[in-house]
Amino acid sequence: MEELKSKIRNIPDFPKEGIVFKDITTLLSDSRSFHRMVDLIAHRYFNQKIDQVVGVEARGFILGAALAYKLGAGITLVRKPGKLPYRTKSKTYALEYGTDTLEIHEDALKPGDRVIIADDLLATGGTVSAVVELVEGLGAELVECAFMTELMFLDGRKRLPEGKVYSLLQFD
């Protein structure tokens, strides 16, 4: 895991002063590391009969699509308002300064679908908490929320269903 962690670049003071941004583009652009990361996460779910992987805008689309392909599952996109062409369900959630909204097609998931929510990073958990509500609101069964990385010091997993969080790489 340390080898994969070493592929993630730290960008100080981005997007604002005092924040050290974890830039995953350096891991994604390294073909060996990208394949290894996807394989390690996908291996966790091979025998769990996953129907859909829900990718969270925008970097979650990368991990979500790769996992869906490896697992023989479909990919469902959760996007910002106005980006999906069909009728949607939406969820507004709190941010540090204000609110944001996410949408999913109202027919994207069927009751009983076994679902993984995939995103690149678990920070405070606010965004993925909203996605969990959208997924469960459509009657799907949440198997787990899967992340490439997790910032442990932000305690984001406390906002998500207990026992339903997996992160490949953790940063203290």
Side-chain angles (χ1 to χ4, degrees), residues 88-100:
T88 61
K89 298 282 186 183
S90 65
K91 175 66 182 166
T92 299
Y93 59 100
L95 296 170
E96 186 177 358
Y97 301 105
T99 62
D100 208 349

Side-chain angles (χ1 to χ4, degrees), residues 1-2 4-5 8 27 33-45 63 67 119-122 144-150 152 157 165-171:
M1 295 306 161
E2 290 305 313
L4 289 176
K5 284 173 91 170
I8 296 173
L27 184 149
S33 296
F34 177 65
H35 284 103
R36 180 149 172 72
M37 179 268 300
V38 171
D39 287 347
L40 285 168
I41 296 172
H43 182 76
R44 182 174 178 85
Y45 305 106
L63 178 58
L67 286 175
D119 207 354
D120 67 317
L121 172 74
L122 174 58
E144 204 162 52
C145 300
F147 302 94
M148 181 191 325
T149 58
E150 180 177 1
M152 302 298 288
R157 65 177 50 230
V165 178
Y166 172 74
S167 58
L168 182 65
L169 307 172
Q170 296 86 31
F171 294 91

Side-chain angles (χ1 to χ4, degrees), residues 78-80 89-91 93 100-103 127 131 134:
V78 171
R79 303 212 57 196
K80 303 243 181 211
K89 298 282 186 183
S90 65
K91 175 66 182 166
Y93 59 100
D100 208 349
T101 302
L102 291 171
E103 295 182 337
T127 300
V131 177
L134 288 170

Side-chain angles (χ1 to χ4, degrees), residues 114-131:
R114 293 179 48 78
V115 171
I116 297 168
I117 297 172
D119 207 354
D120 67 317
L121 172 74
L122 174 58
T124 64
T127 300
V128 176
S129 177
V131 177

